[in-house]
Amino acid sequence: MKLTTKLSLIAATLFVSSVVQAADKTFVNCVSRSPTGFSPALVMDGISYNASSQQVYNRLVEFVRGSTDIEPALAESWTVSDDGLTYTFQLRKGVKFHSNKQFTPSRDFNADDVIFSFQRQLDKSHPYHNVSKATYPYFNAMKFPKLLKSVEKVDDHTVKITLNHQDATFLASLGMDFISIYSAEYADALMKAGTPDVLDTTPIGTGPFVFAGYQLDQRIRFLANKDYWKGKADIDRLIFDIVPDATARYAKLQAGACDMMDFPNPADLEKMKTDPKIQLLSQAGLNIAYIAFNTEKAPFDNLKVRQALNYAVDKNAIIDAVYRGAGVAAKNPLPPTIWGYNNAIEGYEYNPEKAKALLKEAGFENGFETEIWVQPVVRASNPNPRRMAELIQSDWEKVGVKSKLVSYEWGDYIKRTKAGELTAGTYGWSGDNGDPDNFLSPLFGSENVGNSNYARFKNAELDGLLSKAVALSDKTERSKLYEQAQVLLKEQAPWINVAHSISFAPMSKRVQDYKQSPFGYSYFYGTKVVD
């Protein structure tokens, strides 16, 4: 570590410690990296959602804390037409938007804000559609442009949304971060000032915490929203202290400079379990770590090559070395904690000889050379992407496939992946609404090639199964279709399904009533701190 880095870390620790001493109700969350942005419509990663939508914004409906069940939020009630196509939402009255130095709202939340938040993403002619070079990755991944027929204001406190076809996931999808509700009045004021992009860098919402500033790659500050419609949070000040090194995060947690940390080093977990200064929460993650093959690019356009490399990987060794037991080997892209999981499927066992035989059948008896892309960040699904890639690199070499490890800065990594430059690489996904479709459609649907379908996998049969499933309301019938989809994906092998992680939340003993999100997010309303 360079001296300047050490000095910065000491300064940051002193800063955070002084804040903690100055206010009993300060909560410091040590996080592994900076968010990619503060506008939930524009991003598609948990750390950015934690720093924006989970604290600053609300949605029409939201998930019960620690659950996949939805509950009323900015919409206090709703009705659905008999044909399942029209949803009418009654909006909550008296909800206040935040203020900052540049903006003070003149009115409460109303239907105009809902219309703005949907139409910005839906309507290509909307004045905000292209602001901040927005691409709306999750809105598109969830097929909202084709799903939504219209979003209409009935009156100030009533909104009617009409769908083009039935979708059993729609209500749950409205609880997802990408469809957070922005202030239309704030947007109008920024547009008039000639600074519309500020909407996406300095967030204004209705949520429990008010955005109070960001020091690049150092910390993010929030203050409790005194006018929050559910009641003021117990925490007065919320600070995200950005500490990339997991060992340093743990040290700050032990020293009392942090109240919570993300992504602990798996090697530290056993110590944390007996550390008298720490409480360690855990739960099975709703996630998947995987290797995506670019199925449009040789040799991964060859089914037998993809199947061979599945047989070549020793997943149990990865669980031991990377997850230190804090994970389970994956045989499906769906985690076993979600309904619709097909447990009858037999995954690809570790069988190097079978891998060699398939490579020979595919015309690669002497193997080939390729790349393995390595995601440069730790995510909930993968505590050590580089170590995982190294183990897979070694396994592949044993069957004659020589690979070079390649990485890029995170934003560039995703941009290049979406552009189709990928050969094969490490990725992860965490579910966001508790529905199997939220894994299968974004990750494998043909319409999401160039977005979240990194394998660029196209299969008409799969698309048909997924389309049929979302149009049904009966969960048993939907499950049968998802089980069929998993059989197809096992046969076609667009991925190597590597592991499902266990999510850990190490925190200080002063923290009370924190609920782990099944989606892997950090939501601090309802959490309490005591001396």
Side-chain angles (χ1 to χ4, degrees), residues 49-79:
Y49 290 150
N50 288 343
S52 60
S53 40
Q54 290 293 307
Q55 321 307 332
V56 177
Y57 291 96
N58 288 120
R59 289 146 291 285
L60 291 177
V61 302
E62 294 181 350
F63 295 100
V64 175
R65 213 162 57 105
S67 169
T68 60
D69 297 329
I70 59 168
E71 64 181 355
L74 292 181
E76 60 183 5
S77 65
W78 54 87
T79 58

Side-chain angles (χ1 to χ4, degrees), residues 38-42 56-57 97 100 103 116-117 120 126 128-129 131-132 136 181-191 195-205:
F38 291 95
S39 188
L42 274 58
V56 177
Y57 291 96
F97 274 102
N100 60 23
F103 173 75
F116 170 83
S117 303
R120 179 193 181 181
H126 191 280
Y128 260 88
H129 186 76
V131 168
S132 304
Y136 311 111
I181 304 302
Y182 294 66
S183 166
E185 187 182 21
Y186 182 42
D188 288 343
L190 293 172
M191 185 65 78
T195 57
D197 57 307
V198 171
L199 182 77
D200 298 314
T201 59
T202 308
I204 288 282

Side-chain angles (χ1 to χ4, degrees), residues 196-307:
D197 57 307
V198 171
L199 182 77
D200 298 314
T201 59
T202 308
I204 288 282
T206 58
F209 294 97
V210 179
F211 178 79
Y214 171 47
Q215 292 171 273
L216 182 63
D217 296 333
Q218 295 184 56
R219 64 190 61 86
I220 311 162
R221 294 180 293 111
F222 306 89
L223 299 173
N225 176 7
K226 296 179 181 178
D227 297 318
Y228 189 45
W229 55 274
K230 282 187 176 181
K232 178 185 168 297
D234 183 75
I235 298 167
D236 295 310
R237 293 179 176 87
L238 175 62
I239 296 170
F240 282 25
D241 190 18
I242 300 164
V243 185
D245 182 71
T247 300
R249 292 197 298 278
Y250 184 21
K252 295 184 78 168
L253 184 62
Q254 289 178 307
C258 289
D259 292 297
M260 180 174 163
M261 64 172 282
D262 66 4
F263 304 138
N265 188 331
D268 292 331
L269 290 173
E270 286 305 312
K271 183 179 179 182
M272 286 181 174
K273 290 175 182 177
T274 57
D275 191 322
K277 296 181 179 180
I278 290 173
Q279 51 180 322
L280 183 66
L281 303 186
S282 66
Q283 68 176 15
L286 199 68
N287 59 47
I288 175 75
Y290 64 95
I291 300 293
F293 298 119
N294 186 337
T295 59
E296 293 182 342
K297 203 178 256 190
F300 302 119
D301 58 348
N302 188 312
L303 173 60
K304 290 183 178 180
V305 169
R306 301 196 302 267
Q307 291 174 335

Side-chain angles (χ1 to χ4, degrees), residues 103-241:
F103 173 75
T104 300
S106 66
R107 62 166 177 80
D108 291 348
F109 155 77
N110 68 26
D112 292 334
D113 306 304
V114 178
I115 300 300
F116 170 83
S117 303
F118 277 79
Q119 291 299 125
R120 179 193 181 181
Q121 302 187 67
L122 181 64
D123 181 3
K124 292 182 179 179
S125 65
H126 191 280
Y128 260 88
H129 186 76
N130 295 315
V131 168
S132 304
K133 299 180 180 179
T135 59
Y136 311 111
Y138 223 148
F139 189 84
N140 291 315
M142 296 299 291
K143 304 177 186 177
F144 266 38
K146 289 191 174 182
L147 175 63
L148 299 178
K149 182 177 182 180
S150 63
V151 183
E152 303 169 88
K153 175 182 176 179
V154 177
D155 57 43
D156 279 352
H157 296 100
T158 311
V159 169
K160 183 172 71 173
I161 300 178
T162 304
L163 309 183
N164 283 310
H165 56 82
Q166 290 188 18
D167 189 322
T169 71
F170 181 61
L171 269 178
S173 296
L174 293 184
M176 294 169 63
D177 297 68
F178 76 90
I179 205 65
S180 294
I181 304 302
Y182 294 66
S183 166
E185 187 182 21
Y186 182 42
D188 288 343
L190 293 172
M191 185 65 78
K192 289 176 183 177
T195 57
D197 57 307
V198 171
L199 182 77
D200 298 314
T201 59
T202 308
I204 288 282
T206 58
F209 294 97
V210 179
F211 178 79
Y214 171 47
Q215 292 171 273
L216 182 63
D217 296 333
Q218 295 184 56
R219 64 190 61 86
I220 311 162
R221 294 180 293 111
F222 306 89
L223 299 173
N225 176 7
K226 296 179 181 178
D227 297 318
Y228 189 45
W229 55 274
K230 282 187 176 181
K232 178 185 168 297
D234 183 75
I235 298 167
D236 295 310
R237 293 179 176 87
L238 175 62
I239 296 170
F240 282 25
D241 190 18

